Each structure stands twice: as structure tokens, then as C-alpha cells.
Amino acid sequence: MNFQIKIIDNFFNLEDFKQLNSLNLEDAQENSLKIFHNKINNDNIIMESCIDNDLLLKLYKTYNHRVLSILKTLNLPKSEIVDYTDITIIKTGKNYKFPIHDDTPDKLLSGVIYLNLSENTGTIFYKNKRGKDKKIIEWKQNRAVFFSRIERETWHSYQGNGIENRTALIYNLMTKDI
């Protein structure tokens, strides 16, 4: 694989984890997705929000330095061109399968933090778009999985477990320069 993965258990403190799990966001149908985008720039200015602005600012101020440190560890040159943070909540229907894909080049660091309070399907990484050398990062509540492309591709996918919906927070450090 042309990227590195960093896994951190108990990423959010307990209070923030509980608050994120108690958000009243529309659920996804069993064969679809619901995406809730939130963006904040390096000057603490909210660019887009569909959750409470105070919560978004709190998440940014509490965790962004930690996430930036992860990027510096995985890919130091990219840490110099971060323009904003995209904190998105994705609700995946229990039968929905997002296809194998590569993140866009403007994502300098991609992170997934598993929010469901129960078991589900983790993130699945591959060597190529055809699904060679599949590696599943096990779902564990409040587990964070971060990755940054070293060269070009970060082939991965995700899906529901067929039993209940999957909810994850996506924490991306982004640039406008690409």
C-alpha cells in the first residue's frame, strides 16, 4: 500500500464521544448514506455546519492539534499546506456498501472515528482498485483510523454490517492548493 495507517483507540474523551453519539441527525435508509458536512478554517471560522457551532468549535479546538500531529508523523511536508478541517458525520445504512475508492488529492489526512455504540464493519483497505490484499481495520467504538497518501492512492471502502446502521465521524485535514 502506498500510504500509512495510524490507529488510536479512545480518540475522543468520554464526554465528547457521548455528545457525538447523542446528536439528533436524520438516519440513513438501509441501502443509502446520510452525510453531514462541517468545515472550519485555520482561523476558527466556520465555513459550513450542520451541527451545533459550539460543538464544532469545541471539537476543532480540542482535537485539531492532535490530528495535525498525526499528519506530521505520517507526512510532514503536507502539514505545511493545511487550509481547513472537514469534520463530517456519515451514517451508512445497514445494507449499503460504498465502493472501493481513492480519496481526493486535497485530503491531506483522512481520519475515521467509529461512533456506533455497538459492533459494525470497520474500514477496509486495499492494495489497488480491484480489491487486492484486503485489510480490514476492526470496528471498535471510539477507534480512530488515520491515513495519508505517500505517493498517490489510498484505496479503501466501508459498508454496513447488514444488521444495523454504521455511524462514523470523518476528520480530514484539507488544502485548497491542489
Side-chain angles (χ1 to χ4, degrees):
M1 290 186 215
N2 293 323
F3 56 96
Q4 296 178 342
I5 300 170
K6 176 141 179 96
I7 300 169
I8 303 167
D9 287 337
N10 300 312
F11 181 79
F12 291 121
N13 69 44
L14 188 56
E15 177 187 327
D16 294 339
F17 182 73
K18 285 181 179 179
Q19 188 172 8
L20 287 164
N21 270 298
S22 68
L23 289 174
N24 189 18
L25 299 172
E26 185 180 351
D27 215 1
Q29 298 297 315
E30 67 180 47
N31 288 304
S32 66
L33 287 177
K34 286 288 182 182
I35 300 172
F36 304 92
H37 277 286
N38 303 278
K39 297 178 183 177
I40 186 166
N41 72 16
N42 294 344
D43 296 320
N44 296 333
I45 296 171
I46 295 173
M47 302 159 54
E48 181 179 348
S49 179
C50 61
I51 62 173
D52 179 72
N53 287 350
D54 290 337
L55 174 58
L56 181 58
L57 279 169
K58 178 183 174 188
L59 293 172
Y60 179 80
K61 289 178 180 180
T62 304
Y63 300 100
N64 216 64
H65 68 281
R66 186 175 183 193
V67 174
L68 185 57
S69 176
I70 293 166
L71 178 58
K72 287 178 180 177
T73 301
L74 296 178
N75 201 326
L76 183 61
K78 289 187 177 184
S79 67
E80 300 298 321
I81 60 170
V82 174
D83 291 312
Y84 66 98
T85 299
D86 178 19
I87 299 174
T88 297
I89 297 171
I90 298 181
K91 293 192 165 210
T92 305
K94 67 181 183 179
N95 296 322
Y96 186 83
K97 294 182 180 185
F98 199 91
I100 297 172
H101 65 285
D102 181 27
D103 281 347
T104 57
D106 59 339
K107 287 186 183 178
L108 304 173
L109 179 73
S110 298
V112 181
I113 301 100
Y114 306 138
L115 294 181
N116 280 58
L117 295 175
S118 57
E119 187 79 18
N120 215 298
T121 304
T123 307
I124 308 161
F125 291 96
Y126 309 89
K127 187 172 184 172
N128 61 31
K129 188 176 185 169
R130 292 187 200 113
K132 184 177 180 185
D133 297 335
K134 178 167 124 175
K135 178 182 180 181
I136 301 173
I137 305 300
E138 181 184 354
W139 182 280
K140 182 178 177 185
Q141 60 181 294
N142 205 10
R143 171 173 281 168
V145 180
F146 287 96
F147 54 99
S148 179
R149 71 182 73 215
I150 296 169
E151 293 172 13
R152 229 183 117 240
E153 297 150 338
T154 58
W155 299 112
H156 59 284
S157 67
Y158 58 92
Q159 63 191 47
N161 64 0
I163 300 168
E164 62 186 354
N165 287 1
R166 175 187 194 273
T167 303
L169 184 139
I170 312 303
Y171 203 116
N172 295 316
L173 298 181
M174 308 289 292
T175 186
K176 294 184 249 177
D177 292 339
I178 296 177

